[in-house]
Amino acid sequence: MAPPRVQSNPGMHFPACIAPGFVVLDGGGRCIRFNILTSRCSVVDGSMAAAGATNPRLGPGNCRVENILHRVRRGQLTGCGLTRGSQISEELLKERDKQAKWNSIPLLLRKLYEGSHPNSDFSQCQAILKEISPLLSMEAMAIVTDDKKSGPELPFPNTYTFDLFGGVDLLVEILMRPSLFPQKKKHKIDDELIKDCLSILYNTCICTEGVTKRLAERNDFVLFLFTLMTNKKTFLQTATLIEDILGVKKEMIQLEDIPNLASLVSSFDQQQLANFCRILSVTISELDTGNDDKYTLLAKDAQQKKTQSPSRAEINQATLLNIPGFIERLCKLATRKVSESTGTTTFLQELEEWYTWLDNALVLDALMRVAHEETEQSGTESSDESGLANASSRTQLPQSMKIMHEIMYKVEVLYVLCVLLMGRQRNQVHKMIAEFKLIPGLNNLFDKLIWRKHSASSLVLHGHNQNCDCSPDISLKIQFLRLLQSFSDHHENKYLLLNSQELNELSAISLKANIPEVEAVMNTDRSLVCDGKKGLLTRLLHVMKKEPAESSFRFWQARAVESFLRGVTSYADQMFLLKRGLLEHILYCIVDSECKSRDVLQSYFDLLGELMKFNIDAFKRFNKYINTDEKFQVFLNQINSSLVDSNMLVRCIALSLDRFESQSDDIKVAEILSECRLLSYMIQGSVRMSFLFRLINIIHVQTLTQENVSCLNTSLVILMLARRKGRLPCYLQTIRDMECMEKYPGFILNNFHSLLRFWQQHYLNKDKDSTCLENSSCINFNYWKETVSVLLIPDRTSPCAIVSYIDEAYMDVDKEFLED
């Protein structure tokens, strides 16, 4: 039912001493007098209401003065009184429009309201929206071009006025009305009218605070928007608005609630599917709870206990995988080749002039369509001034945007595939993307698109610098590297990153070393691996070694290569990379370039650890490169500058040293033990104890994150190796002595006791996968659990119990874990 229309009192006559105005009845039945000259209203209280409707002569004590705009806003918030501009008389709106600088928006909304009642044919609506739209789009463009007004005035007065006088709610009603209300005569809303409504809503969302959140709270409207995506003419506007709304929605929508989702997705062409991935990315990623690495494990575990059932993101991932052909289409999109009709060396310069205000592929689509239409019309247009003005866009935009389209589409598609690869259905996704040859397809695109040479004029988005991750080229590279990392991590399908010749090389390495060939290599389907002279991993190594020292890609490249080595240590995999000069490249970056980036250093230390673990040849290569005391000291300084970053390498050295010592009868092993600077350094008991003491000291239960929990596991590895040799009591006594020297008796051991108690809660959870710890250390997980249990024995007479080394006066081991 339409809201009641409030009428002014035309029969009122004001004495000369009283300012002219109108008396209206609000939604609560109260009388409100509007003063035209001051734009203020007087609410007549209680028993005076009836008199106020006919007699304006009321004393100042009988009314409350309030600005019209405040009154309308308060009505919208409370639901009482004035809730939209159509309740205000047309005469008042006309009188106040010029002085208030409303640009006739309230009057236009009043007309729109009158022309959009139930059973209306909406014939007048589009003309009205055409008048409103330019006023709002100007302000939206100011947002994109960062051309905002400064000063006390509202930065975007038109969109604010549009929303204040009920424009947003009215457009939502217009869009949804045909689907909600039975009509005597079916009137189909014109596509152009729908597009105008959606565009105006989007412009209001980005200019006026709170509008997007209000729309996001209306689940019925959000789900309704998806039904508009079936219409190709309104797809772009709908997708843009949905993406904006879902970005602020507190509770993630469930994809299974979308009407006919499978048929909707199957109706999309490839271009629409790529843009739909922008929306999907919000629905399949866990809601942001702050920086993932900085979000404490204590808080994560507590949250996990509260939400035992699969999260909405996980349910949505499963919903997508159940859509027939969905993954296959994504793989085709990700590996689709770019037309060769446009040269790849000049298109960035062509885009530079008009691209500075664009932020997403949806806007590119809109321009692409406009340019295409202009090209089609060019044959019938006369060569007037307009035709000359558009000549540049007709001849350049479609050609340039074709490649940029492909880049931005691939970013969205690769992101969705990456998230699915990290989800609960990982093995199912792995099987599908292997079958649909995603990896060989990306290998074929590597040189021409993914890692093509940059132009002299680097393209950057407005408001960003050329090193910003938002740049389309940079975004594509990072998303590609993240996909490789997720694809390779602890999965035998990682060998699809090689070609047949490289797989043969792995087999030859195993044969030469007289060790069994890796089973996963033998089981790899050769029809699904990369083709050409180089596999994807080899191509990545090639560009990695050429990457400038200051490049942000170094971090992602190292992570992607490291993921190939993760899991059960493979000598053949290590030698494959060592033969390609990877170790020397890493040491150059750590020592000779003296890298300062903590993120890059951490990724290089992690990669170096995986590359050298248990590998005598790797330690020989290390010693050959770090061939002076000066170089070795620089290397140690880098390790000691941040143990959080380098602890995985420390763990690798400790594990390797332990294995080499058990094989010291072998001449080669004995030789490397005596010659290698790194092993000679780590073999010193004081060095191992120093690392252990510092590793325990830099972490606490309340500050444990995914990033630094490895320090706890590295300290455990050092103690497990000591326990194997019966030296655990000696290590605990040394920690006690070091505490006393630092004048903090009991502090380190109390902290370590708390950390181990948390370790039990965290890693012995039934949903926790412990294979990573076992594979990375080659120590059975049962031994991990036994060692922790031995250390936590409450018996103070046990030589291996932590409590035996804490004086009772300093004992503090039973406190509860509380988040800071």
Side-chain angles (χ1 to χ4, degrees), residues 348 404 407-408 411 414 449-452 454 458-461 464-482 547 551-553 556:
L348 288 181
M404 188 55 66
I407 290 175
M408 301 194 79
V411 171
L414 292 180
L449 183 69
I450 299 173
W451 225 275
R452 58 191 175 78
H454 290 284
S458 297
L459 171 64
V460 294
L461 296 175
H464 304 276
N465 60 57
Q466 67 182 38
N467 296 319
C468 178
D469 290 352
C470 298
S471 163
D473 271 328
I474 292 177
S475 294
L476 178 63
K477 288 179 173 64
I478 291 176
Q479 205 53 63
F480 164 76
L481 293 171
R482 289 185 66 188
E547 204 64 43
S551 171
S552 61
F553 293 132
W556 296 105

Side-chain angles (χ1 to χ4, degrees), residues 243 270-279 281 330 333-334 336 338 347-348 351 354-367 400-416 449-450 452 459-462 464 469-477 479-480:
E243 184 186 350
Q270 291 295 77
Q271 176 176 301
Q272 290 173 316
L273 181 61
N275 281 321
F276 189 59
C277 284
R278 293 178 67 90
I279 296 171
S281 64
L330 289 191
L333 259 174
R336 185 173 65 178
V338 182
F347 87 97
L348 288 181
L351 294 176
W354 59 267
Y355 188 74
T356 54
W357 59 274
L358 298 181
D359 268 344
N360 61 54
L362 294 169
V363 184
L364 281 171
D365 282 334
L367 287 181
S400 303
M401 283 189 289
K402 203 165 191 177
I403 297 176
M404 188 55 66
H405 253 147
E406 209 59 45
I407 290 175
M408 301 194 79
Y409 284 166
K410 283 173 170 37
V411 171
E412 308 303 337
V413 172
L414 292 180
Y415 178 82
V416 171
L449 183 69
I450 299 173
R452 58 191 175 78
L459 171 64
V460 294
L461 296 175
H462 187 83
H464 304 276
D469 290 352
C470 298
S471 163
D473 271 328
I474 292 177
S475 294
L476 178 63
K477 288 179 173 64
Q479 205 53 63
F480 164 76

Side-chain angles (χ1 to χ4, degrees), residues 676-776:
C676 180
R677 285 184 172 85
L678 191 55
L679 293 174
S680 299
Y681 176 76
M682 183 60 78
I683 206 169
Q684 302 173 61
S686 59
V687 170
R688 291 199 298 275
M689 286 308 307
S690 174
F691 278 129
L692 178 61
F693 188 85
R694 290 160 57 202
L695 284 168
I696 298 173
N697 194 28
I698 59 179
I699 50 176
H700 308 279
V701 172
Q702 286 76 15
T703 60
L704 278 179
T705 66
Q706 199 65 47
E707 181 182 12
N708 63 24
V709 72
S710 57
C711 293
L712 174 57
N713 290 322
T714 298
S715 64
L716 256 179
V717 165
I718 293 174
L719 289 175
M720 283 190 293
L721 298 178
R723 181 180 172 224
R724 278 180 175 176
K725 298 177 179 180
R727 295 183 56 78
L728 185 55
C730 178
Y731 274 58
L732 293 175
Q733 181 61 49
T734 305
I735 293 177
R736 174 192 167 96
D737 295 341
M738 294 173 76
E739 280 183 331
C740 293
M741 289 176 60
E742 297 286 339
K743 301 190 186 304
Y744 289 113
F747 178 77
I748 299 297
L749 289 173
N750 274 311
N751 180 49
F752 192 44
H753 194 280
S754 296
L755 287 166
L756 293 181
R757 284 170 56 216
F758 174 79
W759 187 95
Q760 285 184 323
Q761 289 185 17
H762 183 70
Y763 283 102
L764 303 187
N765 186 305
K766 63 180 181 180
D767 294 328
K768 192 70 180 177
D769 185 5
S770 59
T771 56
C772 293
L773 288 179
E774 190 170 298
N775 289 337
S776 67

